[in-house]
Amino acid sequence: ELRASGTRALIEPRYGGRIHQLFVEIDGREEPLLFAPPEPAMYAREPFAGGCYPMAPWPNRIRGGRFFWAGREYAVPLDAAGQALHGLVFDQPWQVVARAGRVVEMVCGFGAGWPWEGRAWERVELGPGYLALKLEVRSAREAFPAGCGWHPWFRRDVAGSRDVGLAVPAGNRYVLRDHLPTGELATPSGDFALEGAPLGARRLDDCYTGFQTPAARIDWDRLSLTVAFACSRPHLQVYTPPQAFCVEPQTCPPDAFNLSAGATPSYEGADIAAPGRPLSLTSRWTWALL
């Protein structure tokens, strides 16, 4: 448990190094911001849905769990639905390596499911009015393609809110086929344009890029939350199922390992993690009462 003035965070290293819940005081009462099960042990059965978990060494999906690197084809494990989804650490126990005051640091190895030796490292800091996160993909011996991100599940009804507004000031979104990017970019319009209006019944599962200032703003009736993020190629996945919504900072789009750099002149793909040169992503959440 991390505590700061007016806020509290519950961290679960056992279940994917995730933030199980983030509480913010509104009108003298603690309000949970994250959509999460009542008991953390439920993540053992349903690790995808709830809290805020790190994704590494790739975020989102890899088509068929296969990709080429340096002229050779590699495969990663598939889940029961036949998908390579959200990396290899969201359902694994993490080791706490540092704990001081309002900060905790954790690590998790990628194991035999990843062709190269490496691990993820995460830092979580809670302060008055902010949550600061840092995530790295670290290679032990060889360079390899990599991506990472966070998958927070937010409640729609914080402090009794009737709906939630979402602003994502992105210049582009990825055109999808079968839930995966084709490599083509388009200007967000219609339901894809997120300019602060209520989400309502819009059902999105889309990746945005082309940010001048990488940040998203979430507005409930009584609280405004800004999710800022930084990396070499900022991306943001937005997922809006009926019961919750997800605003996911990422270093790359879904299936980045399989997208050709020549697919479009403005394509931004995966990065590389090498010994001594980790792939890094930071995010800072700040909030204020309305």
Side-chain angles (χ1 to χ4, degrees):
E1 182 178 81
L2 303 180
R3 286 180 175 268
S5 177
T7 184
R8 184 166 62 100
L10 302 179
I11 315 299
E12 283 290 346
R14 296 172 297 171
Y15 301 109
R18 80 182 67 210
I19 302 167
H20 171 57
Q21 191 54 265
L22 175 65
F23 297 96
V24 172
E25 189 174 305
I26 301 176
D27 298 332
R29 176 179 173 180
E30 274 194 337
E31 292 287 345
L33 302 192
L34 298 177
F35 178 84
E39 296 296 333
M42 297 176 69
Y43 292 124
R45 299 192 302 272
E46 184 54 62
F48 285 131
C52 173
Y53 53 82
M55 301 179 287
W58 74 87
N60 214 278
R61 305 166 190 259
I62 298 176
R63 185 186 299 275
R66 294 182 174 274
F67 61 94
F68 281 88
W69 169 252
R72 178 181 172 186
E73 187 178 30
Y74 292 92
V76 296
L78 302 178
D79 61 22
Q83 301 185 87
L85 191 60
H86 299 336
L88 297 171
V89 296
F90 68 91
D91 61 350
Q92 297 299 310
W94 287 55
Q95 178 186 1
V96 175
V97 294
R99 172 76 166 88
R102 298 182 279 106
V103 177
V104 62
E105 295 181 7
M106 301 171 281
V107 296
C108 183
F110 298 136
W114 188 240
W116 301 273
E117 186 179 347
R119 64 180 184 168
W121 171 89
E122 182 183 30
R123 183 182 192 272
V124 181
E125 176 185 351
L126 183 68
Y130 75 87
L131 178 73
L133 305 172
K134 187 171 184 179
L135 181 62
E136 290 185 350
V137 176
R138 297 177 173 180
S139 169
R141 300 179 185 277
E142 302 175 72
F144 55 72
C148 63
W150 285 283
H151 198 305
W153 286 79
F154 291 108
R155 292 177 53 203
R156 289 177 176 258
D157 58 348
V158 169
S161 186
R162 294 157 294 183
D163 204 342
V164 60
L166 178 59
V168 177
N172 298 300
R173 69 171 182 88
Y174 283 84
V175 177
L176 305 181
R177 183 182 301 123
D178 299 327
H179 303 289
L180 293 171
T182 64
E184 180 185 356
L185 297 176
T187 301
S189 61
D191 282 349
F192 299 106
L194 299 172
E195 300 173 339
L199 282 175
R202 282 185 282 182
R203 298 292 174 257
L204 305 174
D205 193 359
D206 291 84
C207 187
Y208 293 81
T209 189
F211 294 91
Q212 289 189 347
T213 302
R217 192 187 75 249
I218 301 167
D219 291 325
W220 293 279
D221 290 349
R222 294 286 290 114
L223 188 75
S224 181
L225 171 69
T226 297
V227 177
F229 50 102
C231 62
S232 61
R233 301 171 185 175
H235 289 73
L236 190 74
Q237 186 80 14
V238 176
Y239 177 46
T240 61
Q243 75 276 23
F245 68 101
C246 305
V247 178
E248 309 164 39
Q250 301 180 173
T251 61
C252 60
D255 202 30
F257 299 167
N258 286 316
L259 288 176
S260 167
T264 175
S266 55
Y267 165 67
E268 300 175 359
D271 276 293
I272 296 171
R277 291 189 290 113
L279 170 63
S280 179
L281 173 67
T282 62
S283 184
R284 188 177 180 90
W285 303 5
T286 56
W287 52 85
L289 296 180
L290 296 175

